[in-house]
Amino acid sequence: MSAEKAKWHNAILIPVFLPAVIVITLLVIGTLSAPEKAGELFNWTLAGITDNFGWFYMLAVALFLVFIIGVAISRWGRIKLGPDHCEPEYSFTSWFAMLFSAGYGIALLFFGVSEPVLHYAEPPAGAAETIGSAKQAMQIAYFHWGFHIWAIYGLVGLVLAYFSFRHGLPLTMRSTLYPLIGEKINGPIGHAVDTFAVLGTMFGIATTLGLSVIQINTGLNYLWEDIPVGTTVQVIAIGVITLAAIASVVAGMDKGIKRLSLLNMTLVLFLLLFVFIAGPTIHILETFLQNTGAYLSGIVERTFNLQAYERSDWIGNWTLFIFGWTIAWAPFVGLFIAKISRGRTIRQFVFGVMFVPTIFTFFWFAVFGDTALNMIMNEGYTALISEVQDNQAIALFKLYEELPLTSIVSFVTVLLIITFFVTSSDSGSLVIDSLASGGMETPVWQRVFWASSEGVVAAVLLVAGGLGALQTAAITSALPFAVIILISAAGMWRALVIEGHQYNSLKSHRHHHRRGVNAGPDYWKKRLAGLVDFPKKEPVLEFINGPATESLKKVKEELKSQDWPAEFTADEEHNRIILSVERENDLDFAYEIRLRDYLLPEFVLSNDQNRETYYRAEVFLRQGGQSYDLYGYESSDIINDVINQFENYLHFRHHSPGVLPWDLEKHDEDLNDDIETNK
């Protein structure tokens, strides 16, 4: 009983969980008590934030984009999201496929047709329903869902992956502040950051679920007219689908969720290819290329366009809402792309995240948006404008009316939205649960609680004011989180500066040869023999447990004689020996020699076809493997290498503006599975 009680309490990080629950509870109770007044408050809040902080949102998103691209093209782009020896968990094909799957969602289904049509009919500038407004409509859609969106997602994912996988910190937002405040991330500041992340994610998910259920209701009414369009039906739909998500959570249906995600991807590709083939195919390809070029040429101007002279509600209803929604949703998507990107370099991560989903999104809008505009401008379907203006959610279904297999495609779309709803709720509850527990393993009841909360918040917001309330929740919750992302970027910048100092120290070391300190005239023969030898496990282990161990012990004893706190450790489980020097929580040096196995290179297979693996005695430092082998070294060479690495570490500590945590222990199992991974 005591163990269960401990598990119950340990799974909750009270300073994060409790404030988040209180805020959500007060919102729900207050809104249900006076929905009309709540709706008025939401409208007032939306107007206030738009008028007073619109400039901040636009500036913040611009800084996100500049920062993430700047880091990618800099020398820091070579840094891995993991220790130096880490390899990607997924092949390029699998990784790009998952990025591809992250590039679509409820937003594309909801806005793919409606947004271009609405901008065409009511452009923010110029005459409506013209060729110019059609071009402008598509360029705006590209801007809203292009690089800026993925810069937000990418930056959050990048900082989470960097601090978690490379430095062993929890996969939570507080970890990004470590270079700025150190261990204080475990105090009130860290709790506040994660609380805002929980609230932002909650309202971002609620917005997504609210939009999806509006479209589900519209689709059901389109297929079966007896089902009315209204808040009651939408709340019932939220309840039913949330129960399905809870059932998935309780059952632990990881495989089921994976299958649902695969189904989502299949259905999305089916809809995309269907409309592409059934619609004006050549026109779609032409507009896709033209609008992409126009987007790239005007990206700077649109990034900083606040309509300061027009003073309309357009930017608040569109650009700020979409950017705010994205910022609120960022912990969810960011955590997903972080988890699948371990082992990639920063440069690979950024360009993969920025380009793969963006290109897919552009093509989606070209297929659905330009098909709709073509129907209006060239096929006389002008009624689509008024139909979309009356109800954005029906836009996609009205498009299908002009294409074959209308009923089948409409049913597939409704099914797709439902599966998106279930997977988003299940996955979203996992992310929020992780944030609210400090990254610890949690019991099922907590995910059930958060999945239920998502459904309740979405339903309450719909009751209070529909789409307007959803917009307000997204934009409001995004305001503090945008500040947190900026601070996180500053934290990562400082961490990268520290990494630069460390890299320079190691680079200096590599200028010195590591062998032959006391070599005789025939030492070159021994070196050459070592280069062409691919030893088995036993002799390498004997080397580690013999000459290498004695060498590290000698250095340890000498350091201790100089009053330095050195320790030697032999870890038989992982076949490694470690010399460590720790001093007043400020100095943390570790020199490790570890047994590693590799597949025999193809160029030596002709010499011995039966040997599948060979072994190396590789050097590891706190930041990971250094990719060089000590096997065959003389004791004096090993000692010299240790001293060189220690000298460079002291040089780094002398010049570096700070320190970073390194937890190599998290990657021990990965190293033991190298052969299996590479086969």
Side-chain angles (χ1 to χ4, degrees), residues 65-129:
L65 181 60
V66 171
F67 178 86
I68 194 170
I69 292 178
V71 169
I73 64 177
S74 72
R75 68 179 188 277
W76 296 325
R78 58 171 173 74
I79 294 174
K80 286 189 175 183
L81 300 176
D84 290 341
H85 61 268
C86 184
E87 296 296 329
E89 292 184 315
Y90 302 99
S91 65
F92 267 106
T93 304
S94 300
W95 185 59
F96 280 129
M98 285 184 282
L99 288 177
F100 176 81
S101 66
Y104 60 79
I106 299 295
L108 297 186
L109 292 170
F110 192 90
F111 292 106
V113 174
S114 65
E115 183 170 352
V117 171
L118 291 174
H119 295 331
Y120 171 74
E122 300 178 25
E129 299 184 28

Side-chain angles (χ1 to χ4, degrees), residues 343-500:
R344 299 285 170 196
T345 66
I346 290 176
R347 187 170 294 119
Q348 290 172 339
F349 176 91
V350 170
F351 285 105
V353 168
M354 292 292 290
F355 285 100
V356 175
T358 298
I359 291 172
F360 175 79
T361 301
F362 287 177
F363 190 66
W364 179 277
F365 274 98
V367 170
F368 287 88
D370 277 309
T371 297
L373 293 179
N374 182 70
M375 288 179 179
I376 297 171
M377 299 172 67
N378 300 321
E379 298 179 7
Y381 187 18
T382 56
L384 181 61
I385 296 175
S386 59
E387 291 169 342
V388 175
Q389 288 175 327
D390 292 338
N391 185 3
Q392 291 187 47
I394 205 171
L396 190 56
F397 301 102
K398 287 296 182 180
L399 177 75
Y400 293 153
E401 284 188 358
E402 302 301 310
L403 301 174
L405 306 176
T406 302
S407 298
I408 296 175
V409 180
S410 298
F411 179 79
V412 169
T413 300
V414 173
L415 177 62
L416 177 61
I417 299 170
I418 293 173
T419 57
F420 268 137
F421 195 142
V422 175
T423 53
S424 295
S425 180
D426 190 6
S427 304
S429 63
L430 177 62
V431 171
I432 296 177
D433 191 24
S434 177
L435 291 170
S437 62
M440 295 189 297
E441 293 290 330
T442 59
V444 174
W445 73 263
Q446 285 184 215
R447 288 176 62 185
V448 171
F449 171 80
W450 290 115
S452 305
S453 300
E454 292 159 9
V456 170
V457 171
V460 167
L461 291 175
L462 282 175
V463 171
L467 184 59
L470 295 171
Q471 290 177 322
T472 304
I475 292 177
T476 305
S477 61
L479 184 58
F481 196 67
V483 177
I484 292 172
I485 298 176
L486 287 172
I487 297 173
S488 299
M492 185 168 186
W493 182 275
R494 179 174 172 83
L496 292 174
V497 170
I498 295 171
E499 286 253 16

Side-chain angles (χ1 to χ4, degrees), residues 219-452:
L220 292 174
N221 173 262
Y222 182 81
L223 293 170
W224 299 285
E225 294 183 357
D226 293 337
I227 300 177
V229 176
T231 304
T232 303
V233 176
Q234 291 164 11
V235 171
I236 293 173
I238 288 177
V240 172
I241 300 175
T242 300
L243 286 175
I246 290 173
S248 161
V249 170
V250 172
M253 294 173 57
D254 290 337
K255 291 184 178 179
I257 293 299
K258 290 179 181 178
R259 292 190 181 113
L260 275 179
S261 300
L262 181 60
L263 176 62
N264 288 346
M265 187 173 180
T266 303
L267 294 179
V268 163
L269 291 176
F270 167 75
L271 293 177
L272 184 70
L273 294 175
F274 172 79
V275 178
F276 176 68
I277 295 170
T281 305
I282 301 300
H283 177 71
I284 290 171
L285 293 173
E286 292 174 342
T287 55
F288 170 64
L289 292 175
Q290 181 172 326
N291 290 325
T292 301
Y295 165 79
L296 294 173
S297 67
I299 189 171
V300 175
E301 181 182 357
R302 290 197 179 277
T303 297
F304 297 99
N305 183 10
L306 286 165
Q307 293 189 309
Y309 297 98
E310 289 85 352
R311 293 298 176 189
S312 68
D313 296 332
W314 185 91
I315 194 167
N317 292 331
W318 283 104
T319 306
L320 295 184
F321 162 61
I322 292 170
F323 285 177
W325 180 18
T326 304
I327 292 171
W329 188 241
F332 175 38
V333 179
L335 193 63
F336 167 74
I337 60 178
K339 282 187 172 183
I340 66 172
S341 301
R342 181 180 176 274
R344 299 285 170 196
T345 66
I346 290 176
R347 187 170 294 119
Q348 290 172 339
F349 176 91
V350 170
F351 285 105
V353 168
M354 292 292 290
F355 285 100
V356 175
T358 298
I359 291 172
F360 175 79
T361 301
F362 287 177
F363 190 66
W364 179 277
F365 274 98
V367 170
F368 287 88
D370 277 309
T371 297
L373 293 179
N374 182 70
M375 288 179 179
I376 297 171
M377 299 172 67
N378 300 321
E379 298 179 7
Y381 187 18
T382 56
L384 181 61
I385 296 175
S386 59
E387 291 169 342
V388 175
Q389 288 175 327
D390 292 338
N391 185 3
Q392 291 187 47
I394 205 171
L396 190 56
F397 301 102
K398 287 296 182 180
L399 177 75
Y400 293 153
E401 284 188 358
E402 302 301 310
L403 301 174
L405 306 176
T406 302
S407 298
I408 296 175
V409 180
S410 298
F411 179 79
V412 169
T413 300
V414 173
L415 177 62
L416 177 61
I417 299 170
I418 293 173
T419 57
F420 268 137
F421 195 142
V422 175
T423 53
S424 295
S425 180
D426 190 6
S427 304
S429 63
L430 177 62
V431 171
I432 296 177
D433 191 24
S434 177
L435 291 170
S437 62
M440 295 189 297
E441 293 290 330
T442 59
V444 174
W445 73 263
Q446 285 184 215
R447 288 176 62 185
V448 171
F449 171 80
W450 290 115
S452 305

Side-chain angles (χ1 to χ4, degrees), residues 118-138:
L118 291 174
H119 295 331
Y120 171 74
E122 300 178 25
E129 299 184 28
T130 63
I131 293 176
S133 67
K135 293 179 180 179
Q136 185 181 181
M138 294 306 301

Side-chain angles (χ1 to χ4, degrees), residues 92-240:
F92 267 106
T93 304
S94 300
W95 185 59
F96 280 129
M98 285 184 282
L99 288 177
F100 176 81
S101 66
Y104 60 79
I106 299 295
L108 297 186
L109 292 170
F110 192 90
F111 292 106
V113 174
S114 65
E115 183 170 352
V117 171
L118 291 174
H119 295 331
Y120 171 74
E122 300 178 25
E129 299 184 28
T130 63
I131 293 176
S133 67
K135 293 179 180 179
Q136 185 181 181
M138 294 306 301
Q139 291 167 26
I140 292 172
Y142 277 34
F143 173 71
H144 284 164
W145 303 100
F147 288 141
H148 294 75
I149 292 293
W150 287 98
I152 300 170
Y153 291 150
L155 180 54
V156 174
L158 179 62
V159 296
L160 286 172
Y162 174 78
F163 286 105
S164 179
F165 299 144
R166 187 155 180 86
H167 297 291
L169 293 169
L171 198 61
T172 59
M173 288 303 302
R174 71 175 67 208
S175 298
T176 64
L177 305 185
Y178 187 92
L180 301 176
I181 61 176
E183 294 298 329
K184 291 182 180 178
I185 63 170
N186 298 315
I189 297 176
H191 300 328
V193 167
D194 281 348
T195 300
F196 282 120
V198 168
L199 293 173
T201 305
M202 171 61 71
F203 292 121
I205 292 174
T207 302
T208 300
L209 301 185
L211 289 176
S212 63
V213 81
I214 291 173
Q215 200 168 23
I216 289 172
N217 187 190
T218 302
L220 292 174
N221 173 262
Y222 182 81
L223 293 170
W224 299 285
E225 294 183 357
D226 293 337
I227 300 177
V229 176
T231 304
T232 303
V233 176
Q234 291 164 11
V235 171
I236 293 173
I238 288 177
V240 172

